[in-house]
Amino acid sequence: MPQNSFGVHLSYTSVDRGDGTDPRDAAHDVLARLRVLAGVRDATAAWDDHEEAVLAIAVTDDGHVLTLSEQDTIESTLSASELKAAFEEKGLTLWLDEDVDEAFGFDSVEELVDELIDDSVEVGADDSEDAAIDSALFAASAVQVSAFSHRGPAIARMLAAVHGTAVDHREPGDWSLQRFETSEPSGAWVSSKAELPVIELNRADAAVWFEVAVGSGGPIPFWTEAERDTRPVLDIDAIRVPETAEIYRRLLTEGDGSRDELLEIAAAVDLDVDAAHRALIPEALGGVVGAEDRQRAFLAAFGISSDLIDTAFGSATTGADRRFLPVGWWPTLRETAIAGLGELTPLTRRERPLARIGDALRRRPAAGLLLSVGELGAGLWVASRSRGAGRTLGVLLVVDAVVDAAIWVTRIRRSRGE
């Protein structure tokens, strides 16, 4: 088959052996003997003392596996069933995508899921006591969130109210960092496109992942650890045909689609795609070495300063400019109003004229109070001399002036330490 003349995808599949021991070395030997374009993750998962490993295997649309010929060109003559048979000869079980359908007799994975849901409903209806599951098994673990964005402190105050937890906020420049602990999805909490992107570093006991939001389509997840220890079965540098070597390398570095997702993000915000991608690809294929270094490199690719990244990896009690405690929604809204639009303004827009005027007035609350008195007088004058829409406008000016005056008085009192 000519080079590049077939549709192919990278299939992530598990492998185990009958005696439950580590299958990686034996799986590597089978793949290397057949010269399969594949990768082996240098880790195993244990289920009831039964170890299994994950393989990345290039499979064509018609169910064949990519291999190297004696001339180091790509072939697709080995079928998936033949590959599974080769594994079985060594006491290994290879679980390719099609195994789910064949083993259970369903036309699709979706049909299998629907059947399992139906069965669980029937069991619950017949014998709820026997079907009861300890809720502790599903208890959400605490997640330490470090959210980088151009959001102001008002969002940190809202996050504290939503999650019922303290939120640390720091903003040394155009970027801000908000850190908190949660067991619920944090959400982007974006009030303006100028606040984007929102890059959340999530750290739990058993996992570390990023969620990147650049618009209304929802956050895109990235796992810097997912492919970190994946190693090619074949020696890429020993492949004599450069085109073949490049295809093999790209299958293992781009087969998960992460680069395509990064390119979509780069179309909306500033991002060094190559630098971010190096934090996601296997270390053995040029990826960043080290778990924390990979996370730092991913953040730096968005242009976040190193000192702000250092704060995210520091202790929870250091590096914060302000800390917001959960006080309920009414106090949160009141404090947000008192703080003014300056705290809601994206950090990238604080130098605009309107934002600078608002900030200047906030530093001089007496001048703001005088403006509110003037607005009150104008509103009373319009309301007393107009009818219909004009009178309504005057009433609205009066209401706005009274609210603003109350806010300015509160600011004056706080500035005097009352």
Side-chain angles (χ1 to χ4, degrees):
M1 174 172 283
Q3 298 271 88
N4 296 328
S5 64
F6 42 80
V8 64
H9 68 277
L10 198 64
S11 177
Y12 291 93
T13 180
S14 62
V15 59
D16 56 44
R17 59 194 315 167
D19 58 8
T21 57
D22 188 347
R24 286 174 296 174
D25 289 342
H28 181 279
D29 292 342
V30 172
L31 295 170
R33 176 172 58 83
L34 297 175
R35 307 196 75 193
V36 178
L37 298 184
V40 178
R41 288 185 179 170
D42 192 19
T44 61
W47 304 96
D48 295 329
D49 296 326
H50 191 87
E51 293 189 78
E52 64 178 31
V54 175
L55 310 177
I57 301 175
V59 182
T60 64
D61 293 342
D62 60 357
H64 285 72
V65 176
L66 298 190
T67 59
L68 289 187
S69 68
E70 292 183 359
Q71 293 75 32
D72 281 356
T73 58
I74 297 178
E75 296 181 327
S76 61
T77 56
L78 179 67
S79 69
S81 59
E82 290 172 335
L83 179 62
K84 288 189 291 183
F87 272 79
E88 290 173 358
E89 291 177 359
K90 299 298 182 180
L92 303 170
T93 301
L94 181 65
W95 300 93
L96 288 174
D97 297 339
E98 61 184 12
D99 290 330
V100 174
D101 303 340
E102 292 176 355
F104 294 95
F106 293 103
D107 293 332
S108 67
V109 175
E110 289 78 7
E111 183 180 339
L112 172 59
V113 172
D114 291 341
E115 182 70 17
L116 291 175
I117 292 175
D118 292 340
D119 289 345
S120 65
V121 172
E122 292 175 3
V123 170
D126 294 339
D127 193 354
S128 58
E129 292 184 0
D130 292 340
I133 300 176
D134 186 0
S135 60
L137 294 175
F138 295 94
S141 60
V143 178
Q144 302 292 332
V145 180
S146 298
F148 300 83
S149 68
H150 302 300
R151 301 181 298 190
I155 302 299
R157 185 182 286 109
M158 294 178 187
L159 286 170
V162 169
H163 297 292
T165 186
V167 177
D168 292 327
H169 176 84
R170 188 183 180 201
E171 48 176 74
D174 288 344
W175 283 94
S176 66
L177 168 63
Q178 293 159 349
R179 294 192 293 170
F180 54 96
E181 181 179 294
T182 180
S183 59
E184 301 290 338
S186 60
W189 282 94
V190 176
S191 58
S192 168
K193 289 183 178 180
E195 297 174 349
L196 297 172
V198 177
I199 306 123
E200 290 189 349
L201 167 59
N202 299 274
R203 287 171 287 188
D205 291 338
V208 176
W209 73 98
F210 288 90
E211 293 185 6
V212 181
V214 294
S216 58
I220 301 174
F222 294 93
W223 289 267
T224 53
E225 295 294 285
E227 302 299 330
R228 177 186 170 193
D229 59 8
T230 299
R231 296 181 177 275
V233 170
L234 307 177
D235 184 355
I236 296 179
D237 294 333
I239 296 177
R240 294 164 294 175
V241 180
E243 181 186 9
T244 301
E246 181 61 18
I247 291 174
Y248 187 18
R249 184 184 301 275
R250 292 185 63 181
L251 280 170
L252 295 181
T253 57
E254 302 180 24
D256 61 353
S258 60
R259 186 176 183 84
D260 294 334
E261 293 175 324
L262 291 173
L263 289 171
E264 292 180 6
I265 292 174
V269 299
D270 291 335
L271 171 63
D272 185 338
V273 173
D274 290 336
H277 194 226
R278 283 195 296 272
L280 301 174
I281 65 176
E283 292 182 1
L285 295 174
V288 177
V289 178
E292 184 175 312
D293 287 340
R294 291 168 72 85
Q295 297 163 28
R296 288 174 173 270
F298 188 83
L299 293 168
F302 287 88
I304 301 171
S305 62
S306 58
D307 63 325
L308 200 60
I309 295 175
D310 289 340
T311 301
F313 287 90
S315 66
T317 58
T318 61
D321 294 335
R322 300 172 67 181
R323 166 167 282 200
F324 296 93
L325 300 176
V327 292
W329 270 112
W330 170 243
T332 296
L333 295 175
R334 182 189 65 216
E335 292 301 315
T336 300
I338 292 172
L341 291 176
E343 290 197 356
L344 277 170
T345 302
L347 305 186
T348 53
R349 293 183 175 177
R350 286 194 172 174
E351 295 303 315
R352 293 190 175 186
L354 184 60
R356 296 181 68 178
I357 291 173
D359 184 59
L361 287 174
R362 186 175 178 278
R363 294 196 300 267
R364 300 172 179 83
L369 180 59
L370 289 176
L371 288 177
S372 296
V373 172
E375 182 185 11
L376 176 62
L380 292 172
W381 186 87
V382 172
S384 64
R385 287 168 173 75
S386 305
R387 296 179 179 274
R391 186 179 181 85
T392 301
L393 176 61
V395 172
L396 292 175
L397 288 174
V398 170
V399 172
D400 183 65
V402 170
V403 173
D404 287 346
I407 291 174
W408 289 117
V409 169
T410 301
R411 290 175 178 169
I412 291 173
R413 288 178 175 176
R414 291 184 178 182
S415 66
R416 293 176 178 174
E418 298 179 8

